[in-house]
Amino acid sequence: MAQGGTRAMTVLAVVTEFIDALRLIVEPREAQTGNVQVGGLGEFAYFTGQHLLVSGVALGVAVAVALPVGLYLGHRNKGEFVAVSVSNIGRSVPSLALLGLFIAFAGIGFGNVALVLCLIAVPPILTNAYVGVRQVDPDTVDAAKGMGMTGVEVMRKVELPLAAPLITSGLRLATVAVVATATIGPLADTLTLGRPIINNNVYGEAGPLAGAIAVAVITLLADQAVRIAGRAVTPKGLRLRSDQERESGPNVPSLKRGAQTA
Amino acid sequence: MIDLLAQVQTRQRTGESCVAEDGFCPDYIVANFSDRYLGPFLEHIVLTLVPVAIGFAVAFGLALLAHRRGWLVGPFDGMTGFFYTIPSIALFILLLPFTGRGLVTGIFALVLYTLYIFFRNFLTGLQNVPPETKDAARGVGLTERQLLWRVELPLAVPEILAGLRIATTTTVGLAALAVFAGAGGLGTVILRDTSFKSDVVTASALCIGLAVVLDLLILALQRAITPWRRAAHGR
């Protein structure tokens, strides 16, 4: 009986903490340090805007740089070493360490955070573009050439559509990693949704929890947005069934699909 | 006596000028290694090895179950994949109300991360065993249990170890964020003063070094226990 009572109390305490965190998102309250109002929908909307802005800039630059390189290397069938090493190195450098190094040596600011996030986004985009083009059946490419297509046409009309599902899953990996990592932006003075997490001395106990909830929701939404966009540009016949999609889903590398990275 | 004191003070001050400027100071790092960096580094090793070991064991069980009963693949995949998509910092914090700040929360979150990597690789390994091989094994009279332990699992070793490599390097990186769960590790060193170059560089180097060393160890293990693959490459 007594034990059941304690358990009920614990559950109640957990629920209360979550409700308190949600209330911090919705309505402002006085800061722990006093005198200022923090939290509330307005502030969280601003954080969300900054979060998405810095993530979007980083992803945009990463796509502009990594996608052409990956496609070109895959098309010319060379540079496997580069494509694979980039993804391996990318995985073993912790994002916090990367941002720390940037802050220590390059300083703080929006640009530096965007650059760090961009470096995190490049490996999965590059590697998946490379593998996507490489795994296109050589016979298909030969047939396309036989029909008189030039290299550019083969790329644009054959390889790119066939590689679309893998390119999309690379973009999803990059998006999840970038939006998740943007959380540590406030360390470099970029006020993302990580602000109430990192400045919990101002926001109090509810701060980290509120930030974490917001970040988790934003990340899952961003992942789904990229999935749907990728699906829209993938030719109908190549779209994965939902069960296959789950399999390539948040997608983890295995030996066979060795180049897809976490 | 006064002379001596004065001297000591001067020396300390010159030694600390690099530190006072937040610089990268090799002398300072070496002198303070055991005080400032060794503890978090050891914590980081624990935060890597323990979750990887637990995740390996749990995912192994899940994969065997799913391998035996095919309909479980979908649910297990969805469940482990869901945890994998939640941002790591968020997961560390979301667990706090349940398990409190500390090592347990850090390890628990990291285990949840490794599950998906291990599960997928175990399953891929088991599924890649050619049906003819299994038929042959049944033909010579192996029971299902013998088939699993003597044929399927040995043939799945390359995929299993590939999963181990990925899970280990990923966990080294994510463990740097376990500081948000109050679990210590090298993230503590980076976060305590992000503008102090000596701290940031040392912690980052230790992180990357740990990932590389563990990766090479698993690679060596892979070569040692799958001699047939080397023979195949040699041919």
Side-chain angles (χ1 to χ4, degrees), chain A residues 14 17-18 91-94 96-97 100-101 103-105 176 180 183-184 187 197-198 208-209 212-213 215-216 219-220 223 246-247 250-256 262, chain B residues 74 77-78 81 84-85 87 89-90 93-94 97-98 116-117 120-121 124 128 158-159 162 166 169-170 173 176-177 180 187 190-191 194 197 200-201 204 207-208 211:
Chain A
V14 168
E17 279 192 59
F18 273 97
R91 196 169 47 230
S92 54
V93 180
L96 185 63
L101 290 173
I103 295 172
F105 289 95
V176 168
T183 310
I184 50 179
L187 289 176
I197 298 178
I198 286 160
L209 207 51
I213 293 170
V215 168
T219 309
L220 294 176
D223 182 40
R246 193 165 346 98
E247 215 165 282
N251 134 21
V252 141
S254 63
L255 197 67
K256 266 198 123 176
Chain B
D77 207 87
Y84 191 76
T85 326
I89 301 180
I93 293 164
L94 289 174
F98 299 98
Y116 186 68
I117 303 174
R120 282 248 56 92
N121 278 272
T124 312
N128 282 352
E159 281 90 346
I166 296 160
T169 41
T170 307
L177 298 168
F180 288 105
I190 297 175
L191 271 192
T194 38
K197 296 188 183 69
V200 176
V201 171
S204 309
C207 247
I208 297 166

Side-chain angles (χ1 to χ4, degrees), chain B residues 208-222:
Chain B
I208 297 166
L210 182 62
V212 170
V213 168
L214 290 176
D215 198 38
L216 289 176
L217 281 177
I218 301 168
L219 201 62
L221 176 75
Q222 187 171 356

Side-chain angles (χ1 to χ4, degrees), chain A residues 62-224:
Chain A
V63 167
V65 173
L67 199 56
V69 174
L71 292 176
Y72 178 77
L73 289 177
H75 179 68
R76 295 296 300 270
N77 202 352
K78 58 182 182 189
E80 179 165 2
F81 178 74
V82 176
V84 173
S85 332
V86 160
S87 79
N88 283 341
I89 294 170
R91 196 169 47 230
S92 54
V93 180
S95 51
L96 185 63
L98 198 59
L99 186 67
L101 290 173
F102 260 78
I103 295 172
F105 289 95
I108 54 176
F110 186 91
N112 284 333
V113 176
L115 198 54
V116 168
L117 296 180
C118 185
L119 289 175
I120 290 168
V122 162
I125 297 175
L126 177 69
T127 310
N128 272 39
Y130 172 81
V131 176
V133 172
R134 269 297 303 279
Q135 48 97 48
V136 172
D137 189 348
D139 291 345
T140 314
V141 177
D142 274 351
K145 282 184 190 150
M147 286 170 64
M149 286 193 191
T150 63
V152 177
E153 281 175 326
V154 172
M155 176 87 252
R156 201 167 56 80
K157 293 183 178 168
V158 180
E159 289 175 328
L160 199 54
L162 286 170
L166 265 181
I167 294 175
T168 305
S169 71
L171 275 176
R172 287 180 64 186
L173 282 174
T175 305
V176 168
V178 163
V179 177
T181 309
T183 310
I184 50 179
L187 289 176
D189 260 13
T190 302
L191 299 185
T192 64
L193 285 167
R195 164 95 170 140
I197 298 178
I198 286 160
N199 299 85
N200 60 341
N201 53 336
V202 178
Y203 285 79
E205 286 287 301
L209 207 51
I213 293 170
V215 168
V217 170
I218 294 275
T219 309
L220 294 176
L221 288 180
D223 182 40
Q224 289 307 311

